[in-house]
Amino acid sequence: MPLNPFISFIIIMWIPNFLLTLLILSLLVIIHEGGHFLIARASGIKVLEFSVGMGPAIFSHVSKKNGIRFSVRALPFGGFVQMEGEDGDSEDSDAFYKKPVYKRLATVLAGPVMNILTGFLCMFILVCISTPASTVIYDFQEGAKSPEYGLQAGDKIIKVEGVRVHNGNDLIYEIIYNGQNPLDITVVRDGDTVVLEDVVFPTEESEGIVFGIYDFRLYGPKKTFGNIMSQAFFRSVNSVKMVFDTLKDLVTGRFGVDSFSGPIGMTDTVGEAVSGGFPAVLYLITIISVNLGIMNLLPLPALDGGRILLLIIEGITRKPVNRKVEGYINAAGLIVLLGFMMFITAKDIIKLFK
């Protein structure tokens, strides 16, 4: 009996991208949890389990060498490193809470830091294999609007709405992000600094959100080691800025809950990146990795940032937070987090069949 054409399409086109999405997320989770794991071990903290995924275990192995359990769990969201005495009392001298604050803080920070460093490394590789862009305008696209408001070929754009731009990616991002409104553009022209007020760019609407469109082409600077390092650094910083801009827009309402996606919702994005080749996939990995690192630093229960906040408080007051209270907070936060993940997954599945 032949398969339904829609199901055939899902199998042929969607499943490979979904598996690639899981592979990318799993790799980044391993890197994140690997940071916790390595620093915990270096700090003399007893590790009980290293897990990729959440929920019931579908694979588990206990090392005969050190007794650590390595697990893969059913839900492809996140992971964890379970340490002795992390959320409860323990008589073991190597329990997490019995170690000095600085060792515990380093252990908790290691996960997000590893993701951010991974993003920076991927960005460096990306700059090495791609053509960088300067902020100097080469010419304009057909039907461009911005020349009507004063932009000229040869202008070196240094600021957009007062924000310093260091390379073409910075520049393009600021126009896309803020270009739904007229922008003040600061340029260097014939050695002089000129401020062009209320420059208008074309716009485009996607899922109810209006974005600006840059309407010019930029010179590509000569590749040197210094230029590559500069591009990689500032593009990495810009990727961090993107995360905070997104968080701000979630609070202000510019972006809604539909902007959140789990592995299922990310599949289309990964598919588009694959069609763009290795550089597009590498850029996507960079953004996801930096996002994972920054989001985990937020001071929320069940996230690394929540524990970091409690450790900072302990370091300042020299008095630990009540362990039972901390355990209840983390357990409640974990329940909320898992519930949110299930909600996002359900939303992605419903969207898939619309």
Side-chain angles (χ1 to χ4, degrees):
M1 181 176 175
L3 288 172
N4 178 291
F6 178 73
I7 296 177
S8 299
F9 172 80
I10 292 290
I11 294 173
I12 296 172
M13 301 298 294
W14 189 81
I15 289 181
N17 290 336
F18 178 68
L19 293 177
L20 179 58
T21 304
L22 288 184
L23 178 63
I24 291 172
L25 292 178
S26 296
L27 176 61
L28 294 179
V29 166
I30 290 171
I31 290 171
H32 179 98
E33 299 303 333
H36 292 314
F37 179 84
L38 292 174
I39 301 301
R41 296 278 289 166
S43 300
I45 298 170
K46 184 177 181 180
V47 177
L48 301 177
E49 182 176 355
F50 184 110
S51 175
V52 177
M54 308 291 281
I58 57 177
F59 169 80
S60 186
H61 170 73
V62 178
S63 171
K64 294 180 180 178
K65 182 178 180 180
N66 51 37
I68 299 173
R69 181 180 298 275
F70 296 90
S71 304
V72 177
R73 296 178 177 265
L75 299 177
F77 304 106
F80 61 87
V81 170
Q82 183 184 4
M83 292 170 273
E84 177 73 28
E86 188 176 6
D87 292 311
D89 293 330
S90 173
E91 298 300 321
D92 196 312
S93 61
D94 290 331
F96 176 81
Y97 78 95
K98 290 187 177 181
K99 296 298 179 180
V101 171
Y102 76 92
K103 287 189 176 182
R104 286 179 278 156
L105 189 58
T107 299
V108 178
L109 273 170
V113 168
M114 282 294 290
N115 283 130
I116 294 171
L117 290 177
T118 298
F120 283 12
L121 176 61
C122 289
M123 185 64 79
F124 178 79
I125 296 171
L126 183 62
V127 171
C128 286
I129 64 175
S130 62
T131 302
S134 70
T135 63
V136 181
I137 297 176
Y138 173 69
D139 63 8
F140 293 89
Q141 299 166 3
E142 186 176 352
K145 278 189 176 183
S146 60
E148 301 173 17
Y149 296 86
L151 274 181
Q152 299 177 11
D155 283 349
K156 179 180 180 179
I157 301 176
I158 57 174
K159 290 184 181 180
V160 177
E161 282 292 293
V163 177
R164 185 78 165 86
V165 291
H166 301 87
N167 54 52
N169 295 85
D170 287 358
L171 170 59
I172 290 168
Y173 170 73
E174 292 299 330
I175 291 174
I176 292 173
Y177 181 71
N178 295 303
Q180 73 274 17
N181 299 311
L183 302 173
D184 291 345
I185 307 292
T186 304
V187 305
V188 174
R189 179 183 297 167
D190 298 327
D192 297 323
T193 300
V194 180
V195 178
L196 306 173
E197 296 182 350
D198 296 332
V199 178
V200 175
F201 291 92
T203 59
E204 181 178 77
E205 184 173 334
S206 175
E207 298 184 0
I209 304 170
V210 180
F211 297 97
I213 301 175
Y214 65 99
D215 55 4
F216 47 72
R217 285 177 280 266
L218 299 168
Y219 279 101
K222 184 179 179 180
K223 273 191 177 182
T224 64
F225 179 76
N227 184 266
I228 289 173
M229 291 297 292
S230 174
Q231 288 267 339
F233 175 77
F234 285 113
R235 287 185 66 176
S236 297
V237 171
N238 185 254
S239 66
V240 174
K241 181 179 184 297
M242 288 170 59
V243 178
F244 284 104
D245 283 343
T246 302
L247 291 172
K248 179 188 71 175
D249 288 337
L250 287 169
V251 173
T252 60
R254 183 183 182 188
F255 296 159
V257 71
D258 284 345
S259 61
F260 278 100
S261 290
I264 293 174
M266 288 173 57
T267 300
D268 288 341
T269 304
V270 172
E272 291 172 5
V274 170
S275 66
F278 178 70
V281 174
L282 190 60
Y283 180 71
L284 182 62
I285 293 173
T286 300
I287 298 303
I288 295 173
S289 189
V290 171
N291 264 273
L292 185 59
I294 297 297
M295 294 296 287
N296 265 282
L297 287 173
L298 296 179
L300 300 174
L303 296 181
D304 293 328
R307 176 151 279 161
I308 289 168
L309 178 61
L310 295 178
L311 287 169
I312 291 174
I313 292 172
E314 180 180 343
I316 293 172
T317 64
R318 303 300 178 96
K319 183 179 179 181
V321 177
N322 184 283
R323 297 197 54 73
K324 287 187 177 180
V325 173
E326 182 181 355
Y328 290 144
I329 291 173
N330 286 329
L334 183 60
I335 292 171
V336 172
L337 185 62
L338 289 173
F340 181 72
M341 290 175 176
M342 293 176 67
F343 168 74
I344 293 298
T345 300
K347 176 186 73 69
D348 288 344
I349 292 172
I350 292 171
K351 188 175 180 180
L352 180 67
F353 287 95
K354 280 187 176 181

